């Protein structure tokens, strides 16, 4: 059985979990925090990043590598179109969301979600990049009703876990939801995808972990 290693507050962990649930692949979860220096973790994920998976054949790290493996190893139900070009368009969306939106917005997370502070220089740079990149994303995304068009696909598993973070972080730190300001009406989309049974499971587990962590902090644990 596949073991999914990481923690449910990670959007990339939830991206992989979403796909596992959508495909009905049996799996177990193992709590592993990011940047672990344990040898058992580094043997699976050399930089100690999560998520990673353990399979009977060995381990795999990097969320998109994992998704491509799962699609090839468990082709039904398909999350990529059979047409090679349309499949590439799904991967294009995933790359754009993660590299040009989420990774840029990630520099705001320390202040947005964890009580840290972001420098004014970083805020200005991220603000400029996000405005440019969101305009580019708007040219690629279809939202018809799914991010790649009429059919739910792999790109939705990436978009659903990351787009809200971009919006929330920009609003919290920069004072404006830059996705919405850029013409991306992401909330109805997030609601639509969030009604899927797999998404409901991912969201419920994430909420339970958030509440557990908050309780531990309140108790001084």
């Amino acid at each position: 059985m596949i073991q999914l290693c990481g923690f449910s507050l990670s959007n990339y962990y939830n991206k992989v979990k979403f796909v596992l649930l959508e495909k009905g692949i049996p799996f177990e979860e193992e709590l592993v925090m990011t940047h672990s220096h344990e040898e058992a973790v580094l043997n699976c994920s050399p930089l100690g990043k999560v998520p990673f998976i353990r399979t009977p054949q060995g381990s795999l790290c990097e969320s998109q590598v994992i998704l491509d493996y799962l699609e090839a190893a468990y082709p039904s139900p398909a999350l990529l179109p059979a047409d090679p070009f349309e499949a590439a368009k799904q991967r294009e969306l995933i790359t754009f969301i993660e590299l040009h939106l989420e990774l840029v917005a990630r520099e705001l997370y320390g202040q947005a979600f964890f009580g840290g502070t972001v420098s004014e220089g970083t805020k200005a740079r991220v603000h400029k990049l996000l405005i440019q990149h969101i305009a580019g994303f708007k040219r690629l995304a279809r939202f018809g009703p799914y991010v790649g068009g009429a059919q739910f696909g792999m790109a939705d598993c990436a978009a659903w876990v990351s787009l809200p973070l971009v919006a929330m972080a920009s609003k919290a730190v920069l004072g404006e939801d830059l996705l919405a300001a850029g013409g991306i009406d992401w909330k109805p989309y997030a609601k639509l995808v969030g009604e899927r049974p797999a998404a409901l499971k991912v969201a419920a587990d994430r909420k339970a972990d958030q509440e557990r962590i908050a309780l531990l902090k309140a108790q001084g644990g």
Side-chain angles (χ1 to χ4, degrees):
M1 182 181 291
I2 288 175
Q3 290 179 311
L4 172 60
C5 302
F7 57 99
S8 66
L9 300 187
S10 160
N11 49 319
Y12 292 102
Y13 178 91
N14 287 331
K15 169 188 168 186
V16 175
K17 184 173 177 176
F18 197 172
V19 169
L20 287 165
L21 291 166
E22 281 286 338
K23 285 182 166 291
I25 302 169
F27 69 99
E28 299 173 338
E29 296 183 75
E30 179 182 334
L31 177 63
V32 176
M33 302 308 291
T34 192
H35 299 309
S36 169
H37 296 292
E38 294 181 14
E39 193 65 23
V41 171
L42 296 177
N43 285 336
C44 299
S45 179
L47 297 180
K49 293 168 58 180
V50 299
F52 61 89
I53 63 170
R54 295 190 180 99
T55 79
Q57 291 77 35
S59 59
L60 286 171
C61 63
E62 299 296 339
S63 67
Q64 192 54 41
V65 172
I66 296 169
L67 261 58
D68 287 338
Y69 161 74
L70 295 174
E71 186 69 13
Y74 304 88
S76 181
L79 291 180
L80 287 176
D83 179 79
F85 183 79
E86 289 302 322
K89 293 299 287 184
Q90 287 274 317
R91 291 190 175 98
E92 181 183 49
L93 280 165
I94 294 168
T95 300
F96 205 98
I97 290 166
E98 295 180 347
L99 183 62
H100 300 305
L101 298 182
E102 199 277 341
L103 188 61
V104 175
R106 183 167 286 261
E107 293 195 65
L108 306 176
Y109 291 2
Q111 180 170 326
F113 306 125
F114 303 112
T117 302
V118 176
S119 72
E120 292 302 316
T122 297
K123 290 179 186 179
R125 178 170 49 80
V126 169
H127 186 273
K128 181 179 179 181
L129 284 174
L130 281 179
I131 288 176
Q132 294 173 349
H133 294 183
I134 288 167
F137 176 61
K138 189 178 179 182
R139 293 179 180 272
L140 285 179
R142 299 179 189 174
F143 292 106
Y146 298 106
V147 69
Q151 301 297 319
F152 176 87
M154 188 182 287
D156 295 291
C157 296
W160 183 73
V161 299
S162 286
L163 291 183
L165 293 177
V166 175
M168 290 187 290
S170 63
K171 186 172 183 178
V173 180
L174 305 177
E176 186 175 27
D177 174 351
L178 293 183
L179 275 180
I184 305 295
D185 193 13
W186 65 271
K187 289 183 179 179
Y189 166 77
K191 182 177 185 296
L192 172 70
V193 177
E195 290 170 350
R196 299 178 72 85
L200 290 169
K201 169 66 173 168
V202 170
D205 289 351
R206 180 181 58 205
K207 182 179 180 182
D209 277 355
Q210 287 174 325
E211 291 173 349
R212 178 181 58 81
I213 291 168
L215 180 61
L216 286 174
K217 286 183 177 179
Q219 294 174 342

